Amino acid sequence: MNRFLNIASWVLLSVSIIVILGFVSNTQSQKVCTKIEIDIDNSNGNFFVEEDDIFSMVYHEMDTILGRPIAAIEGERLEHKINNHPSVSNAEVYKTIEGVLRVEVFQRTPIVRIFSMNGESYYLDSTGKVMPPSDQFTSRVFVANGFIRDPFNKVSHLNAKMLADTMKSKVMIDDIFKMAEFIRTDPLWHAQIEQLYVNKELEIELIPRVGNHRIVVGDAIDIKKKLDKLKVFYKKGLSKTGWNEYSVINLKFANQVVCKKRN
């Protein structure tokens, strides 16, 4: 008897769920889109994307969305279109039973701005992807310049974090990204280093905020070890001689710091 009641209860519950889902589906299919709500996440401090930009992309996708049946709006298609915006990292589009189209937009986070020799500039974001500059907003991030011969059209499709070995010897963005990412995540160096410069020998130099000297690191290999050496030298060396005693501090060589005195 108990078994029969259990089976009957499950059957009744299943039928109820199907009826409710059918009612909701039927109700939603009859609803028209009455409102578009756009939420842009600015928590990373960037404002590359404005509400009007997204609204125009959504509104003109199918002549007009407002007044159309909410069930007929292709959310995945809209997501794909918004995700193609160069400053968007991810977009989510969903519909409510009240007839509201919700669009949530998450922006990319640039960590370094590169100025190449041909006068172009572009960003590398936190995932290593190349990101074009915006006419609407300039992000205050770490700057890399000097003898950087990587034009935007050559690197725009690349990810500095996942470069093939054949490309690493042809472009500088790999080392620049590793350097910028390390400095960004280290409180001391984030506060001390304000610029990356690539010299004629294609060696990386760091320009500090405190101290009138250049820090030659060569490449990004063992960058933590190199800057750990500099940290010790700052504490034991420059604390005694003064921050302007040397014009160049060279960290390229293993287990030593080579300095050039200021004339």
Side-chain angles (χ1 to χ4, degrees):
M1 185 66 178
N2 288 337
R3 183 180 179 186
F4 173 78
L5 290 175
N6 287 336
I7 294 174
S9 298
W10 278 110
V11 170
L12 183 61
L13 178 61
S14 300
V15 170
S16 300
I17 292 174
I18 292 172
V19 170
I20 292 170
L21 289 175
F23 174 77
V24 170
S25 178
N26 185 57
T27 301
Q28 189 170 29
S29 67
Q30 296 174 359
K31 280 282 186 180
V32 297
C33 182
T34 58
K35 187 179 182 182
I36 300 173
E37 293 183 351
I38 298 172
D39 181 21
I40 300 175
D41 181 18
N42 297 318
S43 61
N44 60 6
N46 293 306
F47 298 87
F48 292 104
V49 184
E50 296 182 354
E51 188 172 314
D52 287 346
D53 301 329
I54 303 302
F55 186 82
S56 63
M57 296 173 75
V58 172
Y59 191 82
H60 296 295
E61 173 65 15
M62 294 177 290
D63 296 328
T64 178
I65 284 180
L66 293 175
R68 292 178 64 89
I70 193 75
I73 298 172
E74 302 176 59
E76 290 185 1
R77 183 180 177 185
L78 293 176
E79 285 181 357
H80 179 73
K81 183 172 184 178
I82 298 170
N83 280 325
N84 283 329
H85 190 290
S87 298
V88 172
S89 66
N90 185 48
E92 296 179 3
V93 176
Y94 58 92
K95 298 164 277 188
T96 72
I97 194 171
E98 292 82 12
V100 177
L101 184 72
R102 288 275 304 164
V103 183
E104 294 185 355
V105 178
F106 301 88
Q107 299 182 79
R108 295 166 70 179
T109 303
I111 64 170
V112 57
R113 185 169 186 177
I114 296 175
F115 292 85
S116 66
M117 290 185 66
N118 66 356
E120 293 180 326
S121 77
Y122 49 89
Y123 298 101
L124 294 179
D125 74 6
S126 57
T127 68
K129 292 181 180 179
V130 178
M131 177 180 170
S134 168
D135 294 332
Q136 299 178 172
F137 179 76
T138 299
S139 185
R140 297 175 64 84
V141 292
F142 192 57
V143 170
N145 62 2
F147 290 82
I148 303 173
R149 301 184 178 91
D150 301 339
F152 178 75
N153 61 3
K154 179 182 177 182
V155 299
S156 60
H157 64 290
L158 299 177
N159 185 321
K161 204 172 185 177
M162 297 183 287
L163 281 184
D165 291 339
T166 53
M167 286 299 299
K168 289 181 180 180
S169 60
K170 298 179 182 179
V171 297
M172 291 288 303
I173 61 171
D174 174 43
D175 274 356
I176 293 174
F177 175 78
K178 289 177 182 175
M179 196 78 65
E181 179 67 5
F182 179 81
I183 290 171
R184 180 176 80 105
T185 55
D186 186 287
L188 171 63
W189 301 121
H190 181 69
Q192 168 65 344
I193 305 300
E194 66 176 353
Q195 182 182 342
L196 181 155
Y197 179 79
V198 178
N199 62 28
K200 291 182 179 180
E201 289 73 36
L202 302 184
E203 296 175 329
I204 293 176
E205 300 179 359
L206 302 178
I207 310 301
R209 286 188 173 90
V210 178
N212 187 19
H213 53 261
R214 294 180 291 118
I215 304 164
V216 181
V217 295
D219 54 35
I221 296 175
D222 292 330
I223 182 59
K224 184 178 186 306
K225 290 183 179 178
K226 291 175 181 178
L227 291 181
D228 281 348
K229 287 192 301 182
L230 180 61
K231 189 184 297 185
V232 173
F233 181 72
Y234 272 177
K235 289 180 179 179
K236 297 184 178 180
L238 294 190
S239 61
K240 297 177 181 179
T241 62
W243 287 86
N244 297 317
E245 178 75 9
Y246 304 103
S247 60
V248 179
I249 299 175
N250 196 326
L251 307 174
K252 290 192 304 179
F253 308 103
N255 302 319
Q256 58 180 317
V257 177
V258 179
C259 299
K260 179 180 178 182
K261 278 201 170 187
R262 190 174 306 282
N263 293 329

